[in-house]
Amino acid sequence: MLKEDFVGSWQLIDYVTWLSDGTCIEPLGGEPYGLGTYTADGWMSAHLMRRHRSPLDSARPALDEVAPNLLAATAAGYIGYAGRYTIDADAGRVIHHVEAAFLPDWVGTDMIREYRFEDDILTLRPPAVGGTTSVLRWRRAI
């Protein structure tokens, strides 16, 4: 039954990070927007962004025509990747096997997340790094 718990579309509620000194930050701002999808046949996709990013003033700009400083500012507010996923129910982890990503260094890596379900809320926790911990909460999309 566990895989069925994941399957579907999810909307990001919040994304917070606690630094090693106890400071809490919101990496994508106070109103992040995100969509996550898990399919029954084992694929996943996650796209997260700052809700209020500055537009590039073009309906469909070619990336090679966007000024580097504008492209960098736009990229700083976006996270996206996709690939297969597996569930380790005994450890309470879902593993995202990254096959495509905005950041090329993520391709071929595994994104391990501890998970917890409460009603229609899915909480994901990446492993702590250097005393820094993050929590992402997702609500099942209706």
Side-chain angles (χ1 to χ4, degrees):
M1 179 79 185
L2 187 57
K3 191 171 209 175
E4 290 78 20
D5 292 334
F6 280 92
V7 171
S9 296
W10 299 85
Q11 293 178 305
L12 186 65
I13 298 169
D14 50 29
Y15 170 20
V16 297
T17 297
W18 286 273
L19 305 178
S20 58
D21 67 2
T23 303
C24 181
I25 62 170
E26 297 169 309
L28 296 177
E31 298 178 54
Y33 184 77
L35 296 172
T37 303
Y38 291 96
T39 67
D41 58 349
W43 292 94
M44 63 75 53
S45 177
H47 299 273
L48 300 79
M49 66 180 201
R50 286 184 178 278
R51 189 174 292 272
H52 305 290
R53 296 185 299 158
S54 297
L56 299 175
D57 296 325
S58 175
R60 291 185 56 109
L63 289 179
D64 60 351
E65 295 175 5
V66 177
N69 64 319
L70 291 177
L71 193 57
T74 299
Y78 182 80
I79 300 167
Y81 66 92
R84 309 272 309 160
Y85 74 95
T86 54
I87 299 167
D88 180 348
D90 292 336
R93 303 183 318 174
V94 59
I95 301 100
H96 301 155
H97 309 287
V98 181
E99 296 184 29
F102 176 74
L103 296 174
D105 294 4
W106 288 5
V107 175
T109 67
D110 288 340
M111 299 287 186
I112 299 168
R113 307 288 184 252
E114 292 180 3
Y115 67 82
R116 186 180 73 213
F117 289 97
E118 287 185 54
D119 300 319
D120 284 339
I121 306 293
L122 167 61
T123 301
L124 297 177
R125 293 178 181 268
V129 176
T132 298
T133 61
S134 294
V135 176
L136 296 93
R137 292 188 316 139
W138 301 81
R139 176 176 289 115
R140 188 172 293 282
I142 299 173

